[in-house]
Structures are given as structure tokens and as C-alpha cells.
Amino acid sequence: FCGLHHISYHRGTMMLRCALLIGVSVVCVTGKQVSISNVKPRLSTTGDIVNAHDGTVRFFDGSWWMHAAEYGECYDPPHHGCEMSGPTRNTSCGFMPNHNISIWRSPDLSSGSWEKVGVAIQCALMPNCGILYRPHLVYNPNTQLYVLFWNYVNKEGAYAGDAVATSTSPAGPFALANILINTTFPTGDYDVFVDGDGQGYMIYSANHLMYLERLTRDYLHSTGVSANIPGGIAPPPPPP
């Protein structure tokens, strides 16, 4: 709930990547030491729990920006939980089109400092969006635009692909630029990497392998140039 999937500081020397952390202390560019916990909820400036999941936290222009999935209110049926099939699929928490990609800003990453700036993407306003996952924001130095990626499934529960939107500011507004990135394979979990020369890449899981795929100059499409990661081979089946 409170874990940070990806934190990075791009205009300096610090880069921190976190996943399922119990706790970590960081010294931000302000010189203030901040503890990030995975057992205590992250709080907003109003004292509420920050409803933000699966996203990225990046440092731009003196602030930390988080773009993450925000789930709407729902009633979770007993003994079912979050499921994508069966009689409760259309009522289970997390699997309805009433969630968004929200935008948060903090001066120092501390709990209680997160201010909700707005909403970048609304699933209900996208064509045939049933569930969206894993937002990733990067800055494209080639176009001088902020590029927001996410993957999603359609209203029938089938995989739909990866979409992308752009903005001139991390605060938005974001305009839908491509409803389906033409990756070589349907992507599972993924990340977006920008190299020092401005070249963008998607790294993703598919077919029990890891793939690295080069993006076009504007990051809105795949070039079709990809390679699997050595060692990313499916394990052998268990003995009978």
C-alpha cells in the first residue's frame, strides 16, 4: 500500500529505487533526513492517507512528483477480495473503472507533506478502459515533454496494452497521445528508462522472459528493436 516502486532524482547525483521496503532513510536535496516506511501509511497535507499506488516518484524543478494509480471507493465482497473473474468481478475493489492516475507533489518526501495536485488520467474517460495499472512518468529531453505511461485491460477483463500521454509540466494537463504502444509482445510488469543520450527504452516481462525495447524519439511508439535479457528464461517444469 505504502511501498514506492520507483524513486529517482534526475537533476543531481542521487538515485534511490525502493520496492516493498520496511523502512528507509534518505537525505533529500534540502538536507532534511526523511524516513520512508512501508508499515505506516503515507499522509497528505490534509492528514489523509495518500491514495496512490504502483507509480513513480521523481524530482523535477525543486519538488518530488508522484504519479500513481488512485482507486475509487468500493465494497469488497467477503471471501472474494480483488479478483478478475467470477460473479464478483464487476464489483471487486480495484477492478472497476472508477480509478485514475493522480498527481502528488512534496518538497521532501516526508509523510504529511504530500499535496494532491490533480488527476492526470481518468480510466472512465478512456476508450474501453476497465482497469489501469503501473503509471510511469519520464521526461523526454528530445521533445521537452513529460511522458506518462500506463497499461490497462478492457471492460471485458482482457489485456488491452500500454497507453501514453504527454504534458509540458509534471502537473499536467496530460493529453492522450497513443492508446496502444506497438511493443513486440504484450507487456507484463515493466519500467521506462531514459539513457544519457535521450534514448528511451521499455523493459518488460512477457512469455516468462525479460525484454528491452527501444522507443521512438518521442517515446510514443516502439521501434521494433528489442532483445531478451540473458538468463530471463522460464524455469524447467517440476518433476512428475
Side-chain angles (χ1 to χ4, degrees), residues 65-208:
W65 294 85
M66 176 163 55
H67 296 73
E70 176 182 357
Y71 297 104
E73 295 182 356
C74 60
Y75 173 74
D76 199 16
H79 312 299
H80 287 283
C82 298
E83 63 179 5
M84 293 183 63
S85 61
T88 64
R89 185 182 74 82
N90 293 324
T91 57
S92 292
C93 287
F95 298 118
M96 295 186 291
N98 66 339
H99 54 279
N100 314 306
I101 300 175
S102 58
I103 307 171
W104 298 81
R105 178 174 56 198
S106 168
D108 56 18
L109 297 175
S110 63
S111 181
S113 72
W114 288 97
E115 171 196 4
K116 187 174 182 180
V117 176
V119 173
I121 298 295
Q122 293 180 270
C123 184
L125 299 182
M126 282 181 57
N128 200 22
C129 178
I131 315 163
L132 60 79
Y133 302 101
R134 302 178 182 88
H136 292 277
L137 181 82
V138 295
Y139 178 73
N140 186 338
N142 304 312
T143 60
Q144 299 183 14
L145 293 174
Y146 295 88
V147 186
L148 180 63
F149 298 79
W150 66 95
N151 57 15
Y152 68 105
V153 301
N154 62 28
K155 293 179 180 179
E156 289 70 45
Y159 173 81
D162 299 278
V164 61
T166 60
S167 174
T168 57
S169 166
F174 283 86
L176 184 63
N178 187 1
I179 197 66
L180 179 61
I181 301 175
N182 58 321
T183 52
T184 303
F185 300 100
T187 65
D189 289 330
Y190 75 102
D191 204 347
V192 182
F193 172 71
V194 178
D195 210 343
D197 60 359
Q199 177 62 60
Y201 299 87
M202 286 185 70
I203 180 169
Y204 62 91
S205 61
N207 308 317
H208 301 286

Side-chain angles (χ1 to χ4, degrees), residues 14 16 25-35 64 108-109:
M14 183 178 74
L16 171 68
S25 294
V26 298
V27 179
C28 296
V29 291
T30 59
K32 176 181 178 180
Q33 182 167 320
V34 175
S35 294
W64 294 93
D108 56 18
L109 297 175

